[in-house]
Amino acid sequence: KVMTGIRRCGKSVMLDLIKEELKESGVPETQFIAFNFEDMRNANLCTAQALHCEVVNRASEISGKVYLFFDEIQEVTDWEKCINSLRVEMDCDIYITGSNARLLSGELATVLGGRYVEFMELYKDIFPDVTDSVVFQRYLTLGGMPYLANLHFVEEPSRQYLTDVYNSVVLNDVVKRNKIRDIDLLTRIVTYVIGNIGTTFAATSITKFLKNERRTVATDTV
């Protein structure tokens, strides 16, 4: 089972909820093997070979089905080889999360839906008397990030939080990982794309838009 998503969208919390559900269904916690690869204590396991050896060693002490949890798996070099090997050689149930910054392979990735339903439940916990149409309008305005409930969906703190998440994804993930030098150009392109969701467009139309904005750039660059 693969969960992907941007920073702070609730992937790690979802793993914890799955563990709780398994325990409630009668699976003992002793059957669990879990790793968070953002934890420096697991830095020595960030290769497929090292992780595979560690999991096999731990699983050898467990009788019955093993439940494997790998949080932020993209930090492990060649992680797909390890996961596929574990799927083949042992009786296990595997749950992995990964950041959209380094997309998981199409062969393994699945998409979890239902974000609006979650938003409605969180919103009505705080404002139980609001109508569904009001909730939907707030969802369209604020989006479905779970942490907004901690801010009680107050306008200004919510917008600041969303801005911080956006900057974190664009500046930390996209700019650094792709070594983008012209951050202003990237910002303008992203703004254009967000502003034209639902509209068919191409690099040439973005180039024309930027030219109207007095920002000349080659289509190849876009």
Side-chain angles (χ1 to χ4, degrees), residues 166 187-199 201 209:
Y166 169 83
T187 301
R188 289 169 184 257
I189 292 173
V190 171
T191 301
Y192 180 91
V193 171
I194 291 174
N196 287 276
I197 286 176
T199 303
F201 58 85
F209 166 77

Side-chain angles (χ1 to χ4, degrees), residues 20 22 27 34 60 63 68 75 82 84 98 105-106 111 116 121 127 140 144 152 172 183 187 204 206:
E20 291 302 316
L22 287 169
V27 178
S60 65
S63 58
L68 304 174
E75 300 299 329
C82 174
N84 279 324
S105 70
V111 178
Y116 171 61
E121 291 174 355
F127 306 105
L140 291 178
H152 292 265
N172 290 343
I183 298 174
T187 301
T204 51
I206 297 177

Side-chain angles (χ1 to χ4, degrees), residues 166-220:
Y166 169 83
N167 289 334
S168 175
V169 171
V170 173
L171 298 181
N172 290 343
D173 293 339
V174 177
V175 171
K176 289 184 179 178
R177 189 155 290 126
N178 295 284
K179 298 181 174 62
I180 293 174
R181 295 187 298 273
D182 194 338
I183 298 174
D184 174 70
L185 177 59
L186 173 66
T187 301
R188 289 169 184 257
I189 292 173
V190 171
T191 301
Y192 180 91
V193 171
I194 291 174
N196 287 276
I197 286 176
T199 303
T200 301
F201 58 85
T204 51
S205 58
I206 297 177
T207 303
K208 291 177 182 177
F209 166 77
L210 293 171
K211 188 175 182 180
N212 291 334
E213 295 281 303
R214 298 180 180 178
R215 182 66 157 84
T216 303
V217 62
T219 302
D220 286 347

Side-chain angles (χ1 to χ4, degrees), residues 36-72:
N36 183 341
F37 295 104
E38 288 189 325
D39 188 332
M40 283 298 294
R41 288 172 294 184
N42 292 322
N44 62 314
L45 301 176
C46 286
T47 66
Q49 185 66 44
L51 179 59
H52 180 268
C53 290
E54 180 69 16
V55 172
V56 169
N57 286 338
R58 293 195 193 187
S60 65
E61 301 175 1
I62 298 174
S63 58
K65 192 166 192 171
V66 180
Y67 295 81
L68 304 174
F69 301 89
F70 304 103
D71 202 0
E72 299 297 347

Side-chain angles (χ1 to χ4, degrees), residues 4 73-76 79 98-105 173 177:
T4 66
I73 191 70
Q74 78 279 348
E75 300 299 329
V76 178
W79 62 268
S99 168
N100 279 353
R102 298 181 194 170
L103 292 176
L104 299 167
S105 70
D173 293 339
R177 189 155 290 126

